[in-house]
Amino acid sequence: MSFKNLTLNALTVDVEDYFHVAAFDKTIKPVDWDSLPQRVERNTDILLQHFADHNATATFFILGWVAKRYPELVKRINAAGHEVASHGFSHAKATSQTPEEFLQDITAAKQLLEQITATEVTGYRAPSFSIGKTNQWAFSALQKAGYQYSSSTYPVVHDLYGTPDWPQKPYLRPEGIWEYPMPVLNKLGKQLPVAGGGYFRLLPYWLSKKGIDGFLAQSDTPYMFYFHPWEIDPEQPRFKEASAKSKFRHYTNLGRMEAKLLRLLKDFQWRSVKEVYKL
């Protein structure tokens, strides 16, 4: 696959609420989600306005749990010209599911999103980038469910995920699924994470931009950025019982994220995965 226009970068949003994140798996159980204040619609609508203001389109990997409760939000995303893609239904890591459970989860999410938008959903991202060596069967399940591409791997070393010895560029899997790995910067013999998420929120903007510029200078494939709607919401409820590590990862710099995002939208051109990768 060749990319003629490297000035366009892929903007992606994992649409989930603050209580869905893996950092709180041991603190909040799925049975409790409905009883918690829900912030995802408000936060995602703010993002939609920011994207419109900066002529940016994105791929929204939407959790089925969210889509079921906020179908009008999904419709607004689609109507604004963004790509609607799947983040699965239950936010269960692929590594925690059996092949049968995984297939059921990704099929239910795809069918719901397509029912809401009347548009085919072709893309998928696993929660916590949870596809790797131990569950490559997930790609066969994605193909069976009717997906065309995945963006579920991150070729870095990390305590929660990572496929450091897997391809760093888009490639067609033997199962017939395109995989679009998250971008890394190769420097000093290491693969540094520069795809956004918590690293973007934690680090100063100039350093994150330097990493993106470095990736673009050394790569012949487009850059891809990801983040979550809850990351622009410093007023979200706090879970005091969470571990210190989890609270650091989740809450640090929430109040600075929106301003950083606006700088990012201004400094680069952004389009959906489908448009950037010519799907």
Side-chain angles (χ1 to χ4, degrees):
M1 179 176 289
S2 62
F3 304 98
K4 295 181 180 179
N5 187 357
L6 294 183
T7 63
L8 292 180
N9 307 283
L11 179 61
T12 68
V13 185
D14 293 357
V15 183
E16 59 195 56
D17 221 327
Y18 64 97
F19 47 79
H20 289 127
V21 299
F24 296 140
D25 280 350
K26 296 180 180 179
T27 305
I28 300 297
K29 301 302 180 185
V31 69
D32 299 319
W33 289 349
D34 273 316
S35 66
L36 296 170
Q38 296 179 23
R39 311 274 294 178
V40 66
E41 183 177 32
R42 166 198 177 274
N43 295 331
T44 305
D45 277 331
I46 291 173
L47 296 179
L48 287 173
Q49 186 60 58
H50 286 328
F51 294 172
D53 292 343
H54 290 82
N55 189 32
T57 54
T59 294
F60 287 76
F61 291 99
I62 304 173
L63 196 65
W65 190 95
V66 172
K68 183 178 180 180
R69 287 155 180 80
Y70 299 102
E72 294 303 317
L73 174 62
V74 178
K75 290 180 181 179
R76 290 196 295 275
I77 292 170
N78 185 60
H82 303 288
E83 179 187 6
V84 170
S86 167
H87 200 34
F89 201 95
S90 64
H91 207 259
K93 296 177 184 176
T95 48
S96 72
Q97 296 175 299
T98 67
E100 293 76 18
E101 290 170 338
F102 179 76
L103 178 59
Q104 183 178 7
D105 183 272
I106 62 173
T107 300
K110 186 176 191 294
Q111 290 177 347
L112 176 60
L113 293 169
E114 290 178 341
Q115 179 183 352
I116 293 171
T117 64
T119 303
E120 183 182 14
V121 170
T122 61
Y124 170 79
R125 173 171 290 158
S128 302
F129 304 109
S130 53
I131 296 180
K133 288 184 176 181
T134 63
N135 62 343
Q136 295 187 61
W137 47 258
F139 291 109
S140 294
L142 288 168
Q143 192 277 332
K144 185 175 182 179
Y147 290 93
Q148 296 178 17
Y149 78 88
S150 161
S151 180
S152 302
T153 60
Y154 205 156
V156 294
V157 175
H158 191 281
D159 62 332
L160 297 178
Y161 54 78
T163 51
D165 55 349
W166 279 24
Q168 298 180 22
K169 297 181 180 182
Y171 67 106
L172 182 63
R173 293 276 314 180
E175 300 87 354
I177 293 289
W178 279 95
E179 173 62 27
Y180 295 93
M182 304 311 294
V184 298
L185 177 65
N186 293 288
K187 191 170 185 178
L188 301 177
K190 296 182 178 181
Q191 293 160 214
L192 304 178
V194 293
Y199 295 105
F200 180 81
R201 183 162 38 85
L202 293 170
L203 297 174
Y205 179 78
W206 68 266
L207 186 55
S208 293
K209 185 177 185 299
K210 185 176 181 180
I212 297 171
D213 289 337
F215 171 86
L216 292 172
Q218 71 179 208
S219 178
D220 59 357
T221 59
Y223 172 76
M224 183 188 298
F225 182 83
Y226 89 99
F227 71 111
H228 311 83
W230 57 260
E231 291 188 90
I232 64 163
D233 183 12
E235 303 303 319
Q236 64 187 260
R238 305 285 175 127
F239 297 121
K240 296 180 180 180
E241 61 272 31
S243 69
K245 184 177 182 180
S246 294
K247 287 188 286 189
F248 174 79
R249 282 180 165 174
H250 189 86
Y251 297 129
T252 300
N253 288 345
L254 290 178
R256 298 181 180 181
M257 180 65 176
E258 191 169 0
K260 287 184 178 182
L261 176 64
L262 292 175
R263 293 183 67 180
L264 190 77
L265 293 173
K266 181 180 179 181
D267 287 344
F268 299 93
Q269 289 184 289
W270 300 101
R271 294 292 182 268
S272 69
V273 171
K274 182 172 288 188
E275 183 173 351
V276 169
Y277 294 102
K278 312 299 182 185
L279 296 174

